[in-house]
Amino acid sequence: MTDFSMVAGDSKTLEITVNDDAGVPVDLTGASIEWNAARRPYGAAVISKAGNITDAPAGKFSVLLVPADTTTLDGSFYHAATITGADGSVSTLFLGALLISPLAANMTVEQFKVRFPEFAPVSSTLIALVLDEALAQVSTCLSDSDRTRAQMLLTAHKLTLEGEPGRTTSGAAAGTTGAVKREKVGSLEVEYAGMGTSSSGGRSYDRTVYGQMYWEQFGYSFPAIMVV
């Protein structure tokens, strides 16, 4: 296989046979294989995996993709495999196209925790409940990819208002109560200027950085208020 497509966050096993120009399988005995995916041909890898040689004389190897490899990716990529022979020689086996489709709208708890690892300590049961609540609130006018992102951001917003992940890790019960002006994660510190909104409906989302991102990106999808 050279070209393939998949859904972000899925598990997938690539089964690949290496043939020479005459169509004869290349013996992979003693070789090692590296598989990479990048935004452009032979560019910086966004995924890098070791190939598993499954039948060396028949030129067969596999590459296992796990959900964490693609959860945050979508769009068009290129993928390639290189082989290092037993004699140390290196050659490119192929260059192919890879299309990663966005996550399905109703994402899983595992996918959410991969995208927002800060919530990893939080109960999976709680996250599942909040994911369902968020999906019910997200506009059905959005595309599947936008609904997925909206669901993620709204879930993170709701969990933060409930005091997570601090409530789980340290027992703190209070969530964020005021508009976020400054956020610091590790060595990265960001200050938000002019966080006021022109719509009263958006002000509640100022209370967390996730809510701000949600309103900024998806506030347009809320139905307009009719004045009579």
Side-chain angles (χ1 to χ4, degrees), residues 28-193:
L28 301 178
T29 301
S32 61
I33 295 173
E34 182 179 359
W35 179 91
N36 295 297
R39 284 288 184 184
R40 61 182 185 275
Y42 309 113
V46 294
I47 313 173
S48 185
K49 311 284 286 189
N52 176 38
I53 297 175
T54 54
D55 189 340
K60 296 180 181 295
F61 74 94
S62 64
V63 175
L64 174 62
L65 297 177
V66 298
D69 291 326
T70 59
T71 297
T72 61
L73 302 177
D74 71 84
S76 297
F77 300 83
Y78 293 89
H79 71 111
T82 57
I83 179 173
T84 302
D87 61 355
S89 61
V90 179
S91 59
T92 300
L93 297 175
F94 62 80
L95 174 67
L98 164 59
L99 176 64
I100 301 179
S101 301
L103 289 166
N106 193 10
M107 72 182 317
T108 66
V109 172
E110 290 73 20
Q111 291 167 342
F112 177 82
K113 287 187 174 183
V114 168
R115 180 61 184 84
F116 295 108
E118 59 269 40
F119 293 103
V122 180
S123 161
S124 294
T125 301
L126 174 60
I127 292 178
L129 290 172
V130 180
L131 278 169
D132 287 344
E133 290 177 6
L135 186 61
Q137 289 182 238
V138 171
S139 172
T140 56
C141 297
L142 297 175
S143 66
D144 283 348
S145 60
D146 281 349
R147 288 197 78 202
T148 298
R149 180 159 176 76
Q151 182 191 17
M152 288 193 297
L153 290 172
L154 188 54
T155 297
H157 172 69
K158 287 173 172 287
L159 288 170
T160 302
L161 290 181
E162 291 186 15
E164 300 295 353
R167 180 173 62 181
T168 295
T169 58
S170 65
T176 303
T177 57
V180 176
K181 298 297 182 183
R182 185 187 300 267
E183 181 184 38
K184 185 173 183 179
V185 180
S187 61
L188 176 64
E189 186 172 7
V190 180
E191 183 171 356
Y192 302 88

